[in-house]
Amino acid sequence: TRAGSEESALAPPTMAQIQVAVRSRPWTREDRLGVDMQQVKPEEGSIELLNSDYSTKFFSFNYSWWTAFNWKHYCDDKDKSYCENMSVVSQDDVYGSVGAKIKKDLYDGNAVVLFAYGLSGSGKTYTVFGTDDVKNKNSWFYHETPHSSWGILPRLAWDIFQDRKDGWKVTMKYFQNVVETVRDLASPQATEKVYKEGMRKDQDGFMDIQWCQSTVLNSWGDLRKAFIAANARKAIAPTQFNPQSTRGHCIMTIEVLMPDEQDPSIKKRGRVYVCDLAGTEPAGDIYFANYETVPMGDGTTEQKLVGPHADQAKTKELRAQGKKINLSLSEMAMFFMKMAELTRAKKLKPGASIPGNNTYFLCKYLKDTMLQAKTYLLCAVRPEAAYLKYTFSTLGFARNASCVRLNPKKATTAASAAERRLMAELEKYKKMVAELRAAASSASPEDVARLQAQLLESQTALQSAVNDGGEEAAARAAEQKKKEEQYRQRGITLFENVSPDQLDAPYLVNIDEDEFRSRRFLYALREGSTAFGADGDCRPPSFSVVAGHCRIEREGLACTLVGGQGKTWVAGRQVDAGDRVRLEWGNWVKMGKECLMYHGPGHACTVETDLTDVFRDVNKCAKLQEAAEKVARPGMMSVLNRLREQSAEIADAETAQSPHKNAAKTVASFDEHEVLRVLQLIKDAREVCCAFDRSVLKFEVVLSRVANSEGEHGRVLVSVLHESTKQVCYLNESEFTRTLQMLQDEKLQVVMALEAREAYAVPDAHDPVALFFDHTFHYASGTHLCEYVGYGFDTEDEDKDVRLNASASPYHDCGVLNVEWVPAMDNFADQPDVEDLSQLLGRPWQFKLRIKNAALKVRASQSYVSYVFPNESGDLERFATDVCGLPTMTPEFHYEHVHYIPKVTQAFLDFISGDGNGMDFDVYASATYALPEAKISTANSVVSSALGRGPAAPSEDYRAAFDRAVAELSKATGEEPSLLKQRLLEARARDAAVS
């Protein structure tokens, strides 16, 4: 430890504690140096913060890896001497430091957790995986043999398959937590569920997402193939920090079952959890960015930041996601901080956990597992001084984590009788082959060949027995086959299961701005005519595709789209009924809300295809359609007029609450295109809820009333009201869209089950009531004038209750929050009186904030309070109370935090005085709810009637009977069958909704 270091620079932990490595990425801009990184001993590294005003500047961890090899081009001359004295660490060096230990622990039957933490673009993913962009041919999974750019996981996986022996079974799960959901990246049909669904501890006490697909890997090639398909489904977005920023926590597990060489009746179960966490930057700092590809002198290319994207809606969505990401990371940081405090006080046994910290996916899934594993925290930082505030935050997180003591345990399972028999048989054949080879002079080639064939047959049988997942796996496989058949009946083939011959003819494949939902379904175009629509040869999942929507006529490889009864666009051109458009390879086709792309021989659909320009054009058409509908539908105009009136009222409501409030913090305008998009989403949600017998849910567009502490004013929200209980929640567009997508997926499952005469029940977690109300939303805000803390006064009793007002229309009183400031300096009594705030400049300031409880006007299942305040460096930082997880109207928080400013600046004085604006406290809550008794299933008569599939006569096919009835009615009325069928289906849905 360096001289002058503080308590934070603890001696590096042993393996009984979390191992911490901190790595600096290469430079990306000219700047002063922010970190000096040295590896003092093989497992002792040190970090010093340079060019900073932080009171804590020295840190000590197990590994300190400097990878900023390009410092000569970017580093300020004043700091180059530091760079010259740091050794550059390569990917080979990283694996050399930890790889052998990880592999040994894995082979011994331990769980190993690798979780990567840091700012977006700081190199987290590169350390764990290497380059992993499916559009970059230098990514690790495109290399068949080891490559210098490989990260820890590919090198470990390569070693596993090189070391693999008879009887080993290797499986993989790969999923991503996006806000409130988990996406199974290995699922060919893009399965997405709320994160609490199926999260259970396995037989060894490790957390698992049971419904996620487990893929058996028999070779290195299997892993590469599975990863390419899965990685293409990740939620990513370009931000100013990273052109490929992961917008959610990605977790990959690799499990290795291995016969115990000492006891053949036992199998060791080793597993690796690779947790590539989302970026730690504050949500308010993020914007959706534009990049351009710039050729470099060595023939390579780099992505250069151009600036913010013109579409501000994209930035809004990123910030909404980022806020939930921040909350989950803050919960993990709080967990480590509490664990570190108890560990330092010697009040916590190794491997012991603490109650709470179960609100968000990350802690709920990871905290108990990592305490029972050999855990490595891989932190990533940037070398530039401009990023010091993020670096300091990352190192603080790592410092607390390094104190946490572990109690690793090994996992085993019993080998089946068949496996034991086959292993014994295999060993017998191996011995016989060895004996024959030893007696080479007397052994005939035929005998050796016969035994080798028997040995190979025995190895194959053993591997088959090992890979057999038993009854549970067989049931899953049968369910998957049933789903595939149901899709086939709708003219859909799962893209992952497409045979090569299907790609030798023209086809359409679905595309989506959300990569997770893109390239799922293929629609083969047969010779002659292929009808698309609710009654057609191909019936896409979107219910915006109506009966007789359109058709595609094929002659050889030439295809022509013919317009029908549905709204259709081809490459920017609207196709009306009877219009004919010749399709060209790569054309996008929009049927209703379903987007497809036209491909064929020599023009394959691959994960490398960049759809950015395609959806720029698609969205232009969508805006034109929105504008047309605004004129055509008076209801939309009335909503827009109502919101304009609300927008004008907001300033009055804000002024009434705080006469000195700065008008800049009120909402002045809103995005009308966003409103039109949300109105269409609400229309779809109403249809689904009515079909699902959940018409008790009412939806309305509202405006966020006031800027909260992240400055998120002017947002368009959806108010969801439970008409019976009067409970309400507010969702932003992205949250509402994701919820609606899951509902529409469930609606499709119900429809396909009804068509196949199969039973299906929507899981309770995906009931519309649960999906909409199981969100933590911004419920209310209150403003507290805190200028008095600058003068050294504590909070007067009459000022402790902060009035709360709803975050959205109708802006009513939502209760009170108890807030109190008290001086916290040891020598406070000796401090001189402050008559003018300017007297504080350059002096230390320290106060304790207490948030005791709240009295709300609704019953919340869980709630917490969040606020922004300057940290030690003067940067604004978000703070939050623990979550009160008890259903109550009076949540208790018992929050205390000492805010310390070593040297008061004018920026700090401006914050606490705030020109009368005060300090905002935001209350977040989840509304309580109860599910209706009537389940959503194929047995529910309202559901089956609304979705157009009533009980069928057992003696004949329902669709054929319906078609005959339509034909007879058409003959009697003279109307077109396709139009008549659509009218009947719409009428039945309306009748069911009324019922």
Side-chain angles (χ1 to χ4, degrees), residues 34-154:
V35 289
D36 178 16
M37 309 180 70
Q38 302 292 337
Q39 191 68 33
V40 181
K41 295 179 181 178
E43 293 189 22
E44 183 177 338
S46 68
I47 299 173
E48 179 184 1
L49 299 183
L50 305 175
N51 299 306
S52 80
D53 294 327
Y54 291 102
S55 56
T56 301
K57 297 183 180 180
F58 297 96
F59 298 83
S60 182
F61 301 114
N62 297 94
Y63 305 101
S64 180
W65 295 327
W66 168 257
T67 311
F69 60 87
N70 58 345
W71 58 269
K72 292 181 180 179
H73 302 295
Y74 295 98
C75 183
D76 190 283
D77 290 341
K78 300 184 186 70
D79 299 322
K80 285 187 175 179
S81 60
Y82 286 100
C83 298
E84 290 170 349
N85 291 323
M86 287 188 276
S87 300
V88 175
V89 174
S90 67
Q91 295 284 67
D92 290 335
D93 298 328
V94 168
Y95 192 67
S97 297
V98 299
K101 289 184 292 185
I102 293 173
K103 187 167 66 170
K104 182 181 183 302
D105 289 332
L106 177 69
Y107 290 177
D108 284 344
N110 286 288
V112 179
V113 173
L114 309 174
F115 71 104
Y117 181 92
L119 182 70
S120 289
S122 59
K124 302 185 300 295
T125 303
Y126 187 75
T127 295
V128 176
F129 290 110
T131 306
D132 79 334
D133 179 9
V134 292
K135 297 179 176 65
N136 187 334
K137 285 302 182 181
N138 198 39
S139 293
W140 69 266
F141 34 75
Y142 291 127
H143 295 283
E144 296 183 7
T145 55
H147 190 271
S148 60
S149 67
W150 279 8
I152 295 172
L153 188 279

Side-chain angles (χ1 to χ4, degrees), residues 306-325:
V306 176
H309 195 281
D311 186 354
Q312 286 300 303
K314 294 181 179 293
T315 293
K316 283 185 181 180
E317 181 176 357
L318 277 188
R319 289 181 174 174
Q321 289 178 353
K323 185 165 64 177
K324 293 296 179 69
I325 290 169

Side-chain angles (χ1 to χ4, degrees), residues 929-994:
Y929 64 88
L931 297 180
E933 290 185 10
K935 300 295 183 183
I936 303 171
S937 71
T938 50
N940 185 317
S941 59
V942 174
V943 174
S944 60
S945 176
L947 296 179
R949 298 291 186 271
S955 59
E956 62 180 342
D957 177 79
Y958 177 79
R959 287 182 63 195
F962 184 67
D963 289 342
R964 284 198 298 274
V966 169
E968 291 174 6
L969 196 56
S970 173
K971 186 176 179 180
T973 62
E975 290 193 44
E976 285 289 330
S978 60
L979 292 176
L980 191 58
K981 182 183 292 187
Q982 178 62 20
R983 287 176 56 200
L984 286 170
L985 292 172
E986 290 174 350
R988 178 157 43 193
R990 285 195 300 272
D991 289 346
V994 172

Side-chain angles (χ1 to χ4, degrees), residues 321-340:
Q321 289 178 353
K323 185 165 64 177
K324 293 296 179 69
I325 290 169
N326 290 163
L327 289 169
S328 67
L329 291 170
S330 295
E331 185 176 57
M332 179 64 81
M334 186 67 69
F335 170 73
F336 279 141
M337 186 179 73
K338 293 177 180 177
M339 292 285 287

Side-chain angles (χ1 to χ4, degrees), residues 797-810:
D797 288 344
E798 60 269 22
D799 295 328
K800 291 179 182 178
D801 285 342
V802 177
R803 178 187 167 193
L804 298 174
N805 290 277
S807 64
S809 171

Side-chain angles (χ1 to χ4, degrees), residues 542-546 567 592-593 625 629 633 635-636 639 674-691 697-701 718-719 736 740 743-744 747 772 982 986 989-990 993:
S542 175
F543 293 91
S544 61
V545 178
V546 300
K567 295 175 181 176
K593 296 171 188 171
Q625 191 169 325
E629 289 182 351
R633 299 187 182 181
M636 287 190 173
V639 171
E674 185 178 3
V675 172
L676 294 173
R677 289 197 306 270
V678 169
L679 284 172
Q680 185 58 57
L681 293 173
I682 285 176
K683 176 177 177 292
D684 295 343
R686 285 173 179 155
E687 290 177 358
V688 176
C689 288
C690 287
L697 297 179
K698 304 299 179 184
F699 307 96
E700 185 180 19
V701 180
V718 179
S719 165
F736 193 76
L740 179 58
L743 279 178
Q744 289 172 330
K747 182 178 175 183
F772 283 116
Q982 178 62 20
E986 290 174 350
R990 285 195 300 272

